[in-house]
Amino acid sequence: MTRALFIVDVQNDFTEGGALGVSGGDAVAAAITRHLRAHADDYALIVASRDWHHADHDNGGHFADGEPDFVDSWPVHCVADTPGAEYDPELDTQAITHHVKKGQGIPAYSLFEGTTDAGESVAELLTAHGVVDVDVVGLATDYCVRASTLDALAHGRRVRVLTDLVAGVAPATSEAALAELAHAGAELATTDAL
């Protein structure tokens, strides 16, 4: 078994009611939980990422000083050890094998930019477990799912985005991101096709 599952940023601040809530975020969290209950044993690794930003500064310009531009600067979100940074309650985390925190003082979109509490990078985890294939799910399609998928491809992995287990900020940018990922070599699939 050489497949990993990446669960990207399924956090309270990225689901409905959060600082940067994505429409459909809670439904994606619940659907990922159902997928885990049916398929956790299909994965050598299940890696979940969370934005984990510092409260006491702008995290390298990631937090806007004034009005955010929603491209490079954002409202305050996913501050370490706050409810907004915690996993969405619809996501059952029991099957997750590795938890990765990213954006600790800097902007970070890709799961590959994070580390475990033990200091392991995602690239190191994949290599140590001989992972060749990666499934990607989570939030948001047009930002962190996109960045994580592109990095997995750049690390030489075969990547499948499970399109019924992602949600994006906006329909047009999400569609564009999925098209870009397919062009870059990712497979787009739904869980009923597995």
Side-chain angles (χ1 to χ4, degrees), residues 83-170:
E86 295 305 323
Y87 292 114
D88 184 280
E90 294 291 328
L91 178 66
D92 184 344
T93 61
Q94 291 182 74
I96 295 169
T97 61
H98 295 83
H99 300 268
V100 171
K101 294 174 181 170
K102 61 187 180 66
Q104 298 176 81
I106 57 170
Y109 296 90
S110 171
L111 170 143
F112 280 85
E113 296 175 87
T115 58
T116 67
D117 285 344
E120 301 161 296
S121 72
V122 173
E124 289 167 343
L125 291 172
L126 295 178
T127 299
H129 289 84
V131 169
V132 175
D133 300 290
V134 176
D135 288 347
V136 181
V137 303
L139 307 171
T141 309
D142 32 359
Y143 289 93
C144 297
V145 167
R146 174 189 169 272
S148 299
T149 301
L150 290 172
D151 275 357
L153 290 165
H155 280 83
R157 279 20 187 223
R158 291 190 299 253
V159 184
R160 185 168 63 181
V161 178
L162 302 180
T163 58
D164 54 334
L165 300 182
V166 297
V169 172

Side-chain angles (χ1 to χ4, degrees), residues 45-113:
L45 291 175
I46 300 173
V47 181
S49 68
R50 283 184 288 174
D51 269 9
W52 203 254
H53 297 304
H54 295 324
D56 57 353
H57 59 75
D58 71 356
N59 292 275
H62 195 62
F63 287 174
D65 181 17
E67 282 298 310
D69 65 16
F70 296 97
V71 176
D72 297 310
S73 64
W74 305 89
V76 173
H77 63 278
C78 298
V79 172
D81 298 311
T82 67
E86 295 305 323
Y87 292 114
D88 184 280
E90 294 291 328
L91 178 66
D92 184 344
T93 61
Q94 291 182 74
I96 295 169
T97 61
H98 295 83
H99 300 268
V100 171
K101 294 174 181 170
K102 61 187 180 66
Q104 298 176 81
I106 57 170
Y109 296 90
S110 171
L111 170 143
F112 280 85
E113 296 175 87

